[in-house]
Amino acid sequence: MKARGSQPIRWGLVVLATIWMLVIVPLSAAAAPYAAMVMDARSGKVLHSRNADARLHPASLTKMMTLYIVFEAVENGEISLDDKVRISSHAASEPPSKLGLRAGQTIALRYLVRAAAVKSANDAATALGEAIEGSEAQFARRMNRTAKALGMSRTTFKNAHGLTESGHLSTAHDMTILGRSLFYDYPQYYNLFSRITADAGIRSVNHTNRRMLNSYRGADGIKTGYTRAAGFNLVASAERGGERIIATVFGGQSTASRNAKVAELLDLGFRKSPSRVAVNQPARPPYMGKMNGAPVMIAQGQDRPTFAAKTVRLAGAAAVRKSLRPQARPAPEAPVLVAAKDDIERALMAAQKVVEAEAPPAGSVTATPRITADVRPEPRPENIVLASAPSGDPIQEVVMRVSTSGGRHWGINVGRYPSQYKARQVLLQTALNEMATLDGSLRKVVKRPTGFDANFMGLTRESADLACRRLQAKKITCFMIGPG
């Protein structure tokens, strides 16, 4: 005989076993690996590391790289914060978290930046990548080039948003490097990462980690990330008394436990870091974007502005750090220097040495025209040329170097731009790309009612024609300017 009550006991055991198999085991198996790193942002010294070089799923920490490249593209004139971006069906179809973009609509780039930085919107991140490189796949390739240049040796990106994809992996170490580079390379945009709310054009969005920002003294960014495969990730930065610490966590079990762990790591960092330490800013990578639609690679200077800067308003939104780009000079009231031996020329020559290295293989997006060894700048006159203008009259032309043209009266125009700064930048980059025909010419910015013309003057007709044909072959806009 079977004991009375044995059947219910047996069924109870079956139920418990089922619960274990369906709930407890999957949850433990899905637990993401833990990794962490703490770094003194001033010196780059690692203060704590655990499993920091393990390749794990970064989730939306990926968007730090997406935004880094967007800031780079804006700084180098590839795109403007005011440019309108048309949303593709691919971007609109990205799963949450998302801004809610619709296929075919247009929206200013600045709103996509805010949505990606503050809300961690996947549709906005994809739209940013497509706006910069034309497709998300092409943008991912640029992400990987930039990651390598930053020293992120164990990172591979496959998309712009960080949703789980085979091979899309990074490390706590690499993401700490990226967070530090964002802080030093683009301080004018850094406060995006500490905005509790932001206007994203079609609606206001809230920060994904406002609890940490509100609860930890000195916290001012940077980025959260979560997927089931990744767990709860966070790269956080905080400043206290001139000390800045960056802490990264992969594989947190919940938002609350992750935030508590990051706070613990930041505290550890502040305890271990010295009050005073020499600032060792990270080396800025070369610019590997596009110039007039053509791929370029231009070495960046190593000297960097400090983070302390005045605050200004970005399109009527929350205050951001002042851009550290060169500003247009006001009209002078006395004779002004219109040509001199300036640091721009030395920077150009330094950049030439980098570009003189062997060009990448044909078809590479980083391929640049090689500058041959026999190209040398012509000697410049010792005399400095001065020009005066009546008090109050605006200067219509800005001459960037002394001409050694020897009486040549032809020139070329390489475009009209909305600012004097942009026109000057284009002249420098074009001169670097086409030294063979443009060396010795006079680089001149001419103010027009609708913008600033970027011209090279002091050429013969033959050299102007050759320069234009060579530039047009590189898909750079150019037309000749005759005498008079």
Side-chain angles (χ1 to χ4, degrees), residues 62-334:
T62 299
K63 295 185 179 77
M64 290 195 297
M65 178 58 79
T66 298
L67 291 164
Y68 185 98
I69 292 175
V70 171
F71 300 154
E72 175 191 61
V74 170
E75 179 182 71
N76 286 280
E78 280 188 71
I79 199 166
S80 162
L81 288 171
D82 293 315
D83 283 356
K84 294 295 192 296
V85 176
R86 182 171 293 278
I87 305 303
S88 70
S89 57
H90 173 58
S93 66
E94 296 289 10
S97 173
K98 60 194 302 179
L99 182 59
L101 300 169
R102 302 184 314 277
Q105 80 174 100
T106 58
I107 185 171
L109 186 90
R110 69 177 66 249
Y111 296 132
L112 297 176
V113 168
R114 294 173 188 170
V118 177
K119 182 177 172 53
S120 196
N122 296 324
D123 51 357
T126 297
L128 287 169
E130 292 175 342
I132 300 294
E133 286 290 337
S135 72
E136 189 174 28
Q138 186 71 13
F139 186 74
R141 286 189 280 273
R142 179 164 172 180
M143 294 170 77
N144 290 324
R145 295 196 304 272
T146 305
K148 183 177 181 181
L150 286 169
M152 300 169 63
S153 60
R154 295 182 60 78
T155 293
T156 303
F157 293 113
K158 295 296 186 70
N159 58 57
H161 42 67
L163 291 172
T164 303
E165 185 172 340
S166 177
H168 186 99
L169 299 169
S170 187
T171 70
H173 188 182
D174 283 358
M175 283 296 162
T176 305
I177 290 174
L178 178 55
R180 184 170 181 248
S181 295
L182 268 172
F183 174 79
Y184 279 111
D185 292 354
Y186 298 103
Q188 66 268 41
Y189 300 114
Y190 181 77
N191 86 328
L192 281 168
F193 300 103
S194 63
R195 296 188 189 183
I196 302 302
T197 63
D199 174 15
I202 60 176
R203 63 189 178 97
S204 179
V205 294
N206 296 321
H207 200 289
T208 56
N209 200 34
R210 52 191 178 279
R211 292 179 183 177
M212 181 77 183
L213 291 172
N214 286 330
S215 64
Y216 191 86
R217 181 169 62 88
D220 56 11
I222 304 175
K223 191 73 193 69
T224 60
Y226 169 77
T227 63
R228 186 172 299 175
F232 292 83
N233 298 350
L234 176 61
V235 177
S237 179
E239 183 180 27
R240 291 180 180 176
E243 300 173 22
R244 178 167 289 278
I245 301 298
I246 299 175
T248 299
V249 162
F250 275 57
Q253 298 301 301
S254 68
T255 299
S257 65
R258 175 200 65 194
N259 288 353
K261 185 62 179 177
V262 169
E264 176 187 328
L265 292 174
L266 288 170
D267 286 344
L268 178 151
F270 284 118
R271 286 197 305 272
K272 285 191 171 184
S273 64
S275 297
R276 295 183 180 181
V277 66
V279 176
N280 179 28
Q281 297 181 5
R284 194 163 181 176
Y287 167 59
M288 294 181 286
K290 296 191 294 292
M291 170 71 182
N292 288 338
V296 296
M297 182 172 68
I298 301 174
Q300 302 279 7
Q302 299 302 309
D303 294 334
R304 313 275 264 292
T306 61
F307 186 70
K310 298 178 181 179
T311 57
V312 295
R313 309 294 284 187
L314 176 61
V320 299
R321 299 289 179 178
K322 184 177 180 180
S323 170
L324 300 174
R325 305 173 187 169
Q327 300 296 312
R329 303 177 208 172
E333 296 182 358

Side-chain angles (χ1 to χ4, degrees), residues 240-478:
R240 291 180 180 176
E243 300 173 22
R244 178 167 289 278
I245 301 298
I246 299 175
T248 299
V249 162
F250 275 57
Q253 298 301 301
S254 68
T255 299
S257 65
R258 175 200 65 194
N259 288 353
K261 185 62 179 177
V262 169
E264 176 187 328
L265 292 174
L266 288 170
D267 286 344
L268 178 151
F270 284 118
R271 286 197 305 272
K272 285 191 171 184
S273 64
S275 297
R276 295 183 180 181
V277 66
V279 176
N280 179 28
Q281 297 181 5
R284 194 163 181 176
Y287 167 59
M288 294 181 286
K290 296 191 294 292
M291 170 71 182
N292 288 338
V296 296
M297 182 172 68
I298 301 174
Q300 302 279 7
Q302 299 302 309
D303 294 334
R304 313 275 264 292
T306 61
F307 186 70
K310 298 178 181 179
T311 57
V312 295
R313 309 294 284 187
L314 176 61
V320 299
R321 299 289 179 178
K322 184 177 180 180
S323 170
L324 300 174
R325 305 173 187 169
Q327 300 296 312
R329 303 177 208 172
E333 296 182 358
V336 294
L337 184 67
V338 295
K341 299 175 181 179
D342 55 23
D343 290 337
I344 294 175
E345 289 304 316
R346 288 192 293 272
L348 181 59
M349 293 305 299
Q352 281 180 241
K353 294 178 181 179
V354 174
V355 180
E356 284 175 353
E358 187 65 33
S364 169
V365 293
T366 60
T368 57
R370 187 180 180 185
I371 298 175
T372 57
D374 61 343
V375 177
R376 293 290 183 270
E378 297 178 13
R380 285 172 282 174
E382 294 299 325
N383 295 332
I384 295 175
V385 180
L386 296 176
S388 60
S391 178
D393 286 353
I395 297 298
Q396 297 298 311
E397 299 185 354
V398 178
V399 179
M400 296 177 59
R401 65 174 290 184
V402 177
S403 173
T404 56
S405 63
R408 295 175 288 184
H409 304 297
W410 286 78
I412 63 172
N413 173 277
V414 291
R416 180 170 296 172
Y417 301 91
S419 69
Q420 182 184 109
Y421 164 76
K422 178 57 185 172
R424 293 172 64 186
Q425 180 188 50
V426 169
L427 286 171
L428 282 171
Q429 293 178 342
T430 306
L432 181 60
N433 280 335
E434 188 48 45
M435 285 292 295
T437 56
L438 294 178
D439 186 61
S441 63
L442 179 74
R443 292 199 296 277
K444 184 184 296 185
V445 176
V446 181
K447 185 177 181 181
R448 304 294 186 192
T450 58
F452 294 83
D453 281 0
N455 298 337
F456 288 90
M457 304 302 296
L459 299 167
T460 65
R461 178 169 184 166
E462 292 75 17
S463 61
D465 178 65
L466 176 60
C468 253
R469 284 189 284 111
R470 288 171 61 96
L471 290 172
Q472 288 166 353
K474 299 172 187 176
K475 301 187 185 304
I476 297 175
T477 301
C478 179

